[in-house]
Amino acid sequence: MSDTSLTIDTILAPELTLCRVPASSKKRVLEFIAEQIHEQDESLNDVQIFNNLIARERLGSTGIGQGIAIPHCRLEGLDRVIGVLLTLEESVEFDAIDNQPVDLVFALIVPKEATSEHLELLSQLAEKFNERSFCNALRECEDARTLYERMTAASG
């Protein structure tokens, strides 16, 4: 495995790991994600990120079931992968495949020229979120630091 390989701990920053975020809708969750990314890197346009996330959702919901969503999109001019992890204060409707509301969100923003490596990352995430005990451990977190540590501890 090369040093440049994408793993959850290389794309997720503590600043973009947020616990018990208040959100009233899927749209608001996606807006919040875009705003947080913009706050961390002002060269990235939050409106563009939001529009790209919405456009991707229109192709089909990224709600993968069991209260989990992995919204993702490509972004012009991005030179790295950005991950955002949120637990929501209350579940929101996300048009998930099992029609269950979502309270665990991992967003992935990838460069326009995304490679198979990015798809690999999506499958890594889906695999992790397939473990109910792992998801429950994330949901139990009371603060962002613990959430970040739990999310990155298991990756590698």
Coordinates of all heavy atoms in Angstrom, one line a residue, residues 75-120:
L75 N -15.9 17.9 -7.5 CA -15.8 19.3 -7.5 C -14.6 19.8 -8.3 O -13.5 19.3 -8.1 CB -15.6 19.8 -6.0 CG -15.6 21.3 -5.8 CD1 -17.0 21.9 -6.1 CD2 -15.2 21.6 -4.3
E76 N -14.9 20.7 -9.2 CA -13.9 21.3 -10.1 C -12.9 22.0 -9.3 O -13.3 22.7 -8.3 CB -14.7 22.3 -11.0 CG -13.9 22.8 -12.2 CD -13.8 21.8 -13.3 OE1 -14.8 21.4 -13.8 OE2 -12.6 21.5 -13.7
G77 N -11.6 21.9 -9.6 CA -10.6 22.6 -9.0 C -10.1 22.1 -7.6 O -9.3 22.7 -6.9
L78 N -10.7 21.0 -7.2 CA -10.3 20.4 -5.9 C -9.1 19.5 -6.1 O -9.0 18.8 -7.1 CB -11.4 19.6 -5.3 CG -11.3 19.1 -3.9 CD1 -11.2 20.2 -2.9 CD2 -12.5 18.2 -3.6
D79 N -8.1 19.6 -5.2 CA -6.9 18.8 -5.4 C -6.7 17.7 -4.4 O -5.6 17.0 -4.3 CB -5.6 19.7 -5.4 CG -5.5 20.5 -4.1 OD1 -6.4 20.3 -3.2 OD2 -4.6 21.2 -3.9
R80 N -7.7 17.5 -3.6 CA -7.6 16.4 -2.6 C -9.0 15.9 -2.3 O -10.0 16.5 -2.7 CB -7.0 17.0 -1.3 CG -7.9 18.0 -0.6 CD -7.1 18.8 0.4 NE -7.9 19.8 1.1 CZ -8.4 20.9 0.6 NH1 -8.2 21.2 -0.7 NH2 -9.2 21.7 1.3
V81 N -9.2 14.9 -1.5 CA -10.5 14.4 -1.1 C -10.8 15.0 0.3 O -9.9 15.0 1.1 CB -10.5 12.8 -1.0 CG1 -11.8 12.3 -0.5 CG2 -10.1 12.3 -2.4
I82 N -12.0 15.4 0.4 CA -12.5 16.0 1.7 C -13.6 15.1 2.2 O -14.5 14.8 1.6 CB -13.0 17.4 1.5 CG1 -11.9 18.3 1.0 CG2 -13.5 17.9 2.9 CD1 -12.3 19.7 0.6
G83 N -13.4 14.7 3.5 CA -14.5 13.9 4.2 C -15.1 14.8 5.3 O -14.4 15.6 5.9
V84 N -16.4 14.6 5.5 CA -17.1 15.3 6.6 C -17.9 14.3 7.3 O -18.7 13.6 6.6 CB -18.0 16.4 6.0 CG1 -18.7 17.2 7.1 CG2 -17.2 17.4 5.1
L85 N -17.8 14.2 8.6 CA -18.6 13.2 9.3 C -19.5 14.0 10.3 O -19.0 14.8 11.0 CB -17.7 12.3 10.1 CG -18.3 11.3 11.1 CD1 -19.2 10.3 10.3 CD2 -17.3 10.6 11.9
L86 N -20.8 13.7 10.3 CA -21.7 14.3 11.1 C -22.6 13.2 11.8 O -23.0 12.3 11.2 CB -22.7 15.2 10.3 CG -22.2 16.2 9.4 CD1 -23.4 16.8 8.6 CD2 -21.4 17.3 10.1
T87 N -22.9 13.5 13.1 CA -24.1 12.8 13.7 C -25.1 13.9 13.8 O -24.8 15.0 14.1 CB -23.7 12.1 15.0 OG1 -23.3 13.1 16.0 CG2 -22.7 11.0 14.9
L88 N -26.3 13.5 13.6 CA -27.4 14.5 13.7 C -28.1 14.4 15.0 O -28.3 13.3 15.5 CB -28.4 14.3 12.5 CG -27.8 14.4 11.1 CD1 -28.9 14.1 10.0 CD2 -27.1 15.7 10.9
E89 N -28.6 15.6 15.5 CA -29.3 15.6 16.7 C -30.6 14.8 16.6 O -31.0 14.1 17.5 CB -29.6 17.1 17.0 CG -29.8 17.4 18.5 CD -29.8 18.9 18.7 OE1 -30.8 19.5 18.4 OE2 -28.8 19.4 19.2
E90 N -31.3 15.0 15.5 CA -32.5 14.2 15.2 C -32.4 13.7 13.8 O -31.9 14.3 12.9 CB -33.7 15.1 15.4 CG -34.0 15.4 16.8 CD -35.2 16.3 17.0 OE1 -36.1 16.2 16.1 OE2 -35.2 17.1 18.0
S91 N -32.9 12.5 13.6 CA -32.9 11.9 12.2 C -33.7 12.8 11.3 O -34.7 13.4 11.6 CB -33.6 10.5 12.3 OG -32.8 9.7 13.2
V92 N -33.3 12.8 10.0 CA -34.0 13.5 9.0 C -34.3 12.6 7.8 O -33.6 11.6 7.6 CB -33.2 14.7 8.4 CG1 -33.0 15.8 9.5 CG2 -31.9 14.3 7.8
E93 N -35.4 12.9 7.1 CA -35.8 12.1 5.9 C -34.7 12.3 4.9 O -34.2 13.4 4.7 CB -37.1 12.6 5.4 CG -38.3 12.0 6.1 CD -38.3 10.5 6.2 OE1 -38.0 9.8 5.2 OE2 -38.6 10.0 7.3
F94 N -34.3 11.2 4.2 CA -33.2 11.3 3.3 C -33.5 10.5 2.0 O -32.6 10.3 1.2 CB -31.9 10.8 3.9 CG -30.6 11.6 3.6 CD1 -30.3 12.7 4.3 CD2 -29.8 11.3 2.5 CE1 -29.2 13.5 4.0 CE2 -28.7 12.0 2.2 CZ -28.4 13.1 2.9
D95 N -34.7 10.1 1.9 CA -35.1 9.2 0.7 C -34.2 8.0 0.6 O -33.8 7.5 -0.4 CB -35.0 10.0 -0.6 CG -35.7 11.3 -0.6 OD1 -36.9 11.3 -0.1 OD2 -35.2 12.3 -1.0
A96 N -33.8 7.5 1.8 CA -32.9 6.3 1.9 C -33.5 5.1 1.2 O -34.8 5.0 1.2 CB -32.5 6.0 3.3
I97 N -32.7 4.1 0.9 CA -33.2 2.9 0.2 C -34.2 2.1 1.1 O -35.0 1.4 0.5 CB -32.1 2.0 -0.3 CG1 -31.1 1.7 0.8 CG2 -31.3 2.7 -1.5 CD1 -30.0 0.6 0.4
D98 N -34.0 2.2 2.4 CA -34.9 1.5 3.3 C -36.0 2.4 3.8 O -36.7 2.0 4.8 CB -34.1 0.8 4.4 CG -33.4 1.8 5.3 OD1 -33.4 3.0 5.0 OD2 -32.7 1.3 6.2
N99 N -36.1 3.6 3.3 CA -37.1 4.6 3.8 C -36.9 5.0 5.2 O -37.8 5.6 5.8 CB -38.5 4.1 3.5 CG -38.8 4.1 2.0 OD1 -38.4 4.9 1.3 ND2 -39.4 3.0 1.6
Q100 N -35.8 4.7 5.8 CA -35.6 5.1 7.2 C -34.9 6.5 7.3 O -34.1 6.8 6.4 CB -34.6 4.1 7.9 CG -35.2 2.7 8.1 CD -36.5 2.7 8.9 OE1 -36.5 3.2 10.0 NE2 -37.6 2.1 8.3
P101 N -35.2 7.3 8.3 CA -34.6 8.6 8.4 C -33.1 8.4 8.7 O -32.7 7.3 9.3 CB -35.3 9.3 9.5 CG -36.0 8.2 10.2 CD -36.2 7.1 9.3
V102 N -32.3 9.4 8.5 CA -30.8 9.3 8.6 C -30.4 10.2 9.8 O -30.8 11.3 10.0 CB -30.2 9.8 7.3 CG1 -28.7 10.2 7.5 CG2 -30.3 8.8 6.2
D103 N -29.4 9.6 10.5 CA -28.8 10.4 11.6 C -27.3 10.3 11.6 O -26.6 10.9 12.5 CB -29.3 10.0 13.0 CG -29.0 8.6 13.4 OD1 -28.5 7.8 12.5 OD2 -29.2 8.2 14.5
L104 N -26.7 9.6 10.7 CA -25.3 9.4 10.6 C -24.9 9.7 9.1 O -25.4 9.1 8.2 CB -24.9 7.9 10.9 CG -23.5 7.5 11.3 CD1 -23.0 8.4 12.4 CD2 -23.5 6.1 11.7
V105 N -24.0 10.7 8.9 CA -23.7 11.2 7.6 C -22.2 11.3 7.4 O -21.5 11.9 8.2 CB -24.3 12.6 7.3 CG1 -24.0 13.1 6.0 CG2 -25.9 12.6 7.6
F106 N -21.7 10.7 6.3 CA -20.3 10.9 6.0 C -20.3 11.4 4.5 O -20.7 10.7 3.6 CB -19.5 9.6 6.1 CG -18.0 9.8 6.0 CD1 -17.3 9.6 7.2 CD2 -17.4 10.2 4.9 CE1 -15.9 9.8 7.2 CE2 -16.0 10.4 4.8 CZ -15.3 10.2 6.0
A107 N -19.9 12.7 4.4 CA -19.9 13.2 3.0 C -18.5 13.1 2.5 O -17.5 13.2 3.2 CB -20.3 14.7 3.1
L108 N -18.4 13.0 1.2 CA -17.2 12.8 0.5 C -17.2 13.8 -0.7 O -18.0 13.7 -1.6 CB -17.1 11.4 0.0 CG -15.8 10.7 -0.2 CD1 -14.9 10.8 1.1 CD2 -16.0 9.2 -0.5
I109 N -16.2 14.7 -0.8 CA -16.1 15.6 -1.9 C -14.8 15.2 -2.6 O -13.7 15.2 -1.9 CB -16.0 17.1 -1.4 CG1 -17.1 17.4 -0.4 CG2 -16.1 18.0 -2.6 CD1 -18.5 17.2 -0.8
V110 N -14.8 14.9 -3.8 CA -13.6 14.4 -4.5 C -13.3 15.3 -5.7 O -14.2 16.0 -6.3 CB -13.8 12.9 -5.0 CG1 -14.0 12.0 -3.8 CG2 -14.9 12.8 -6.0
P111 N -12.1 15.3 -6.2 CA -11.7 16.1 -7.3 C -12.5 15.7 -8.6 O -12.9 14.5 -8.7 CB -10.2 15.8 -7.5 CG -9.7 15.3 -6.2 CD -10.9 14.6 -5.6
K112 N -12.7 16.6 -9.5 CA -13.4 16.3 -10.7 C -12.9 15.1 -11.4 O -13.6 14.3 -12.0 CB -13.3 17.5 -11.6 CG -14.2 17.5 -12.9 CD -15.5 18.2 -12.6 CE -16.3 18.3 -13.8 NZ -17.7 17.8 -13.5
E113 N -11.5 14.9 -11.4 CA -10.9 13.8 -12.1 C -10.8 12.6 -11.2 O -9.8 11.9 -11.1 CB -9.4 14.2 -12.5 CG -9.3 15.5 -13.2 CD -9.5 16.7 -12.3 OE1 -9.0 16.7 -11.1 OE2 -10.1 17.7 -12.7
A114 N -11.8 12.3 -10.4 CA -11.8 11.2 -9.5 C -11.5 9.9 -10.1 O -11.8 9.6 -11.3 CB -13.2 11.1 -8.8
T115 N -10.7 9.1 -9.4 CA -10.2 7.9 -9.9 C -10.9 6.7 -9.2 O -11.7 6.9 -8.3 CB -8.7 7.7 -9.6 OG1 -8.5 7.7 -8.2 CG2 -7.9 8.9 -10.2
S116 N -10.5 5.5 -9.6 CA -11.0 4.3 -8.9 C -10.7 4.3 -7.5 O -11.4 3.6 -6.7 CB -10.5 3.0 -9.6 OG -9.1 3.0 -9.5
E117 N -9.6 5.0 -7.1 CA -9.3 5.1 -5.7 C -10.4 5.7 -4.8 O -10.7 5.3 -3.7 CB -8.0 5.9 -5.5 CG -7.1 5.5 -4.4 CD -5.8 6.3 -4.4 OE1 -5.6 7.2 -5.1 OE2 -5.1 6.0 -3.5
H118 N -11.1 6.6 -5.5 CA -12.2 7.3 -4.7 C -13.4 6.3 -4.6 O -14.1 6.3 -3.6 CB -12.6 8.6 -5.5 CG -11.5 9.6 -5.6 ND1 -11.0 9.9 -6.8 CD2 -10.9 10.3 -4.7 CE1 -10.0 10.8 -6.6 NE2 -9.9 11.0 -5.3
L119 N -13.6 5.5 -5.6 CA -14.7 4.5 -5.5 C -14.3 3.5 -4.4 O -15.2 3.0 -3.7 CB -14.8 3.8 -6.8 CG -15.3 4.7 -8.0 CD1 -15.3 3.9 -9.3 CD2 -16.7 5.3 -7.7
E120 N -13.0 3.2 -4.3 CA -12.6 2.3 -3.3 C -12.9 2.8 -1.9 O -13.3 2.1 -1.0 CB -11.1 2.1 -3.4 CG -10.4 1.3 -2.3 CD -10.9 -0.1 -2.1 OE1 -11.4 -0.7 -3.1 OE2 -11.0 -0.5 -0.9

